[in-house]
Amino acid sequence: TSTAFNKKELGIILKFFVAAVFSSTLISLGVYLGFTSKHITDIREISVFISHIRLSLLVCMAVFALIWLWMQERKTVADKISIPVLIIWFVFFLALLESITGLGILFFVLIVFSFGEIIRQKKFVYLAIITPALLGGLFAGLRYWSSIYKNVSRVYLLHRI
């Protein structure tokens, strides 16, 4: 076995990973905007290198890596600017890709980690305030996704008739 990475080495690896995922999202955006000769009929076809679901999961991992990098003590001015901008870009890209799987996993894991962090820091007042808001958002999201499912099922059923 090898020795574990120290925080500096892990930070470097995560930054390269985030850069690779960011590059892939920019290339996918280029395909979407028509900068390539690839003709797309479905938004999921903009993912050039891997399937759209795998790309959305890599985007989620990149967001979590950026959150980890943000939580480190030392941040340069470039980190303070680039990390939030990249997180916003990745969430926007998941919405552009119409990846319900990626968005669902991203928000579910963020909710779980938020609860864990609140409990770890023993900030139970925040827990009492945030829990109803998160549960309300979760309920609204589930209702929205179920309405999408019903509409898609109805359209699919009409096409089969």
Side-chain angles (χ1 to χ4, degrees), residues 18-84:
V18 169
V21 173
F22 180 67
S23 299
S24 182
T25 61
L26 288 181
I27 291 168
S28 296
L29 180 67
V31 170
Y32 176 73
L33 295 175
F35 293 133
T36 65
S37 60
K38 183 176 181 178
H39 179 70
I40 58 169
T41 56
D42 186 7
I43 191 69
R44 296 176 292 189
E45 295 173 355
I46 68 171
S47 178
V48 179
F49 304 113
I50 56 175
S51 75
H52 67 285
I53 293 175
R54 289 183 179 152
L55 179 59
S56 69
L57 294 176
L58 289 175
V59 168
C60 291
M61 288 176 59
V63 169
F64 300 137
L66 288 168
I67 291 170
W68 184 86
L69 290 169
W70 181 262
M71 293 174 67
Q72 300 310 302
E73 291 79 22
R74 297 182 191 171
K75 287 187 282 289
T76 63
V77 174
D79 289 340
K80 290 179 181 178
I81 295 169
S82 64
I83 290 175

Side-chain angles (χ1 to χ4, degrees), residues 115-147:
F115 278 123
E117 189 64 22
I118 289 170
I119 291 170
R120 188 182 69 78
Q121 292 185 5
K122 297 184 171 112
K123 306 274 184 172
F124 296 112
V125 173
Y126 294 136
L127 195 61
I129 295 170
I130 291 176
T131 301
L134 290 176
L135 290 176
L138 182 64
F139 178 72
L142 289 174
R143 285 193 43 94
Y144 176 71
W145 286 337
S146 72
S147 70

